[in-house]
Amino acid sequence: MSVNPTVALALDFGGTKTEAALVDESGRVVAGTRFRQSTGGAANSAQLSAAVTSVVQRAVAAMPAGATLLGVGIGSAGPVHAVGDLVSPLNLPVWRRFALRDLVADQVAKRFPDVPVVLRMDGLCITLAEHWVGAARGYNNVMGMIVSTGIGGGLILDGRTVSGPTGNAGHIGHVEVAGFDDPCACGGRGCVEAIASGPKTVAWARSQGWHGATGEDLAASFAQGDVIASAAFRRSGRAIGQAIASATSLVDLDVVVIGGGFSNATPVLFDHVREAVATRGEFDFVTKVQVLPSGLSGDGPLIGAAALVHRAEMVTPN
């Protein structure tokens, strides 16, 4: 890091945790500036606000001497509402049309009153991070995906982010896939999130007689040759692959990069995803799409939020 770095304050807000950190102009999280608090569906609105306030204040206080704050980037679980920069995270029902950007801006303004504050859906931020310093470098038609507690996504087409009029373009987790009828919290049936997220994959395995409790347990069972665990990963991979094939048919993607905790459970999950894409054998513009694991560590969501500031030329305005 340079002696007098230009940094962005990044906030990642999701269904289980929120994190803030400073990220420099090369896409690196500045050491000693990363802070985390739990969120979760049992938290009330005041507790969620306090978690955000805590991590933001601590990251601001950790600003290195001589550093310049270029702006603030916020990646939030969706859906979001571009008009007013409001958020309604599906798995946090106490926040509906909550003014997350204003909460963060008010905290930062106490020390930096004039810096811009930009909010986008977390899936879009992940996509920006992969395009900047991850597995999608060199490609201009990219979908990023998060496969974790939920499933989210974002799009870069022709080198520019695509948000849509409400800010929710690329929300691949709520694309319905053929052959499935699992009910989804959004109101749909057969959404890929309702089938292939970590908790939903675990729930399906338990419904088949498996006795574990977590995605880590499921991965361990798979490694030991458990047939139900194997079927669970096959089922989830097929659903993700069908969604990717459909998205590629629609917008002609070069690469899809998948990150998130559950995506790391076993490499076999990617094998099943690619097999499902390959069934579109008559459409080489679909089967050409590369499906890659994230090139980033757990820093990806924060790097992506910071990219809203450091890579602002790519970010289409609301």
Side-chain angles (χ1 to χ4, degrees), residues 231-257:
F233 283 115
R234 185 183 309 111
R235 182 178 191 268
S236 292
R238 179 164 65 90
I240 294 168
Q242 288 180 219
I244 288 172
S246 295
T248 304
S249 294
L250 186 65
V251 294
D252 201 4
L253 297 165
D254 296 318
V255 63
V256 175
V257 181

Side-chain angles (χ1 to χ4, degrees), residues 192 195-197 201 231-241 262 269 273:
V192 67
I195 303 157
S197 68
T201 303
F233 283 115
R234 185 183 309 111
R235 182 178 191 268
S236 292
R238 179 164 65 90
I240 294 168
F262 190 66
L269 182 67
V273 170

Side-chain angles (χ1 to χ4, degrees), residues 2-21:
S2 61
V3 176
N4 296 306
T6 299
V7 300
L9 173 62
L11 177 77
D12 172 48
F13 182 82
T16 58
K17 65 177 175 62
T18 186
E19 288 189 290

